[in-house]
Amino acid sequence: MPTMTMKLIFPEKLNHGDIVCVISPSKSIQTIGKGSTGQYTLNKARENINNMGLKVISSTETQEVDIFGCLPLKKRLEEFHSAFSNPSIKCILTAIGGFHANQLIPYLDYELIRNNPKIFCGYSDITLLSAAILKKSGLVTYSGPHYSTFGMNKGLNYTIQEFQKCLFQKDPWTITASGFWSEDEWFLNQEDRIFKQNKPITCIQEGTAEGSIIAGNLTTLHLLQGTEYMPEMNDVILILEDLRSSNEITRTLVSLLYSKDTGNIKGLIFGRSPSSSKLDTRTIKHILEIVQLKNIPIAFGIDIGHTTPHTTIPFGGFGKLICDQNGVKLTIIKH
């Protein structure tokens, strides 16, 4: 296993009766709970998490939000530090993604985080917090569902199963594609859902790799380039997703791969994007012609990011990726 500058810390796994705290480092939980539909989503999220044997508490209950729908920076920092310093809390779930989580990064108490390791999980804008926490404290976090994600009434089984495999169990497991996927605005209409038949994760370039995992939103990770909060990107398996257009995804990926922050990439997996992105295997092959990532396994179609359902992947954990004529096998070894 590759060594990192700072000793890695893996938080304790979840057990029946553990407490989950919901915080809003990006957009406020209030942006979810507006109206009867929003309140239903929050109630359903609590119910689904309770059904896993966990107890949910919310952090700051304040109606004060800024013009972007975020809590004031001071409030966001207070609830972040309060959740990490509370020994009864075993897992921290972000309410939702959005924008402006990067405002917290210079002010986070990384020593507090390192001395009080616990599960921290979210995706999208939360990617940069996972990156900064890994770099500055050594704590492995998780690219996975938000609290709001658990507010779905339908199509949540795969998300729950993967969440439990990663955060309740210590054994390695192999990630396979979900049977069905959706890109509908489920949070606006919980009943008339549109699900599509999923495809297996696709092998684009054959190869085998073992390495540390960096997983999350490409655009958000890109925001950290050149900063002291960018995690080590040498000898890693990159697992990336994005919802923007294939043009924007391509140029951002090229920028990331050409960055001085990025060293030897051992493997690359693209998450499934919304249809509007027009990101497919043909586009990815074109990208490869430009950046010339040769002799490494490359795959497409893992369930992370801005479609549903979601797997849960350790940001800073360790895995093995095999791409060949038999398909794609991603095994999460240490999480």
Side-chain angles (χ1 to χ4, degrees), residues 10-31:
F10 288 84
E12 292 182 1
K13 296 300 180 186
L14 291 173
N15 293 294
H16 190 277
D18 282 347
I19 294 176
V20 175
C21 181
V22 184
I23 67 171
S24 302
S26 190
K27 278 199 170 185
S28 169
I29 196 170
Q30 297 172 48
T31 62

Side-chain angles (χ1 to χ4, degrees), residues 211-243:
S212 298
I213 297 171
I214 298 294
N217 182 259
L218 169 62
T219 299
T220 306
L221 188 63
H222 184 255
L223 294 175
L224 296 179
Q225 281 187 218
T227 73
E228 62 185 276
Y229 307 103
M230 189 70 173
E232 294 181 21
M233 299 276 282
N234 191 40
D235 293 336
V236 300
I237 297 173
L238 271 178
I239 305 176
L240 302 172
E241 60 84 19
D242 214 303
L243 52 67

Side-chain angles (χ1 to χ4, degrees), residues 32-213:
I32 309 164
K34 292 180 179 179
S36 58
T37 303
Q39 192 57 52
Y40 176 88
T41 298
L42 294 182
N43 292 340
K44 195 66 181 177
R46 181 180 292 270
E47 177 186 330
N48 283 323
I49 292 175
N50 286 344
N51 286 342
M52 286 189 276
L54 303 172
K55 300 175 182 179
V56 178
I57 62 172
S58 295
S59 52
T60 309
E61 297 290 344
T62 176
Q63 298 301 310
E64 183 183 5
V65 295
D66 63 20
I67 60 173
F68 300 112
C70 301
L71 296 177
L73 178 58
K74 182 179 178 181
K75 289 287 186 182
R76 283 182 280 159
L77 288 167
E78 285 176 357
E79 67 170 17
F80 197 102
H81 290 143
S82 176
F84 266 99
S85 61
N86 187 337
S88 67
I89 294 171
K90 301 301 180 184
C91 173
I92 301 170
L93 287 181
T94 52
I96 195 171
F99 298 93
H100 310 305
N102 60 344
Q103 296 171 356
L104 279 67
I105 288 178
Y107 307 106
L108 292 180
D109 187 337
Y110 296 102
E111 184 175 355
L112 170 71
I113 295 169
R114 183 169 59 251
N115 292 333
N116 297 274
K118 54 195 65 186
I119 291 167
F120 178 78
C121 182
Y123 73 99
S124 190
D125 196 38
I126 307 305
T127 299
L128 53 84
L129 292 176
S130 288
I133 289 171
L134 179 67
K135 177 65 178 292
K136 291 295 187 177
S137 74
L139 177 65
V140 173
T141 62
Y142 299 89
S143 176
H146 296 304
Y147 178 66
S148 55
T149 309
F150 289 102
M152 292 182 194
N153 189 32
K154 298 177 180 179
L156 195 61
N157 288 345
Y158 177 89
T159 298
I160 291 175
Q161 290 168 5
E162 294 292 291
F163 185 83
Q164 291 175 319
K165 287 176 184 177
C166 187
L167 300 180
F168 282 77
Q169 304 172 14
K170 294 182 179 180
D171 296 336
W173 90 99
T174 298
I175 295 177
T176 57
S178 59
F180 298 88
W181 71 283
S182 176
E183 56 182 339
D184 60 14
E185 295 182 323
W186 63 269
F187 44 88
L188 298 179
N189 188 334
Q190 288 269 25
E191 295 304 317
D192 297 331
R193 300 292 308 277
I194 301 172
F195 292 99
K196 307 174 186 181
Q197 187 77 38
N198 204 3
K199 298 177 181 178
I201 302 172
T202 303
C203 175
I204 294 177
Q205 184 166 284
E206 294 189 359
T208 300
E210 291 189 40
S212 298
I213 297 171

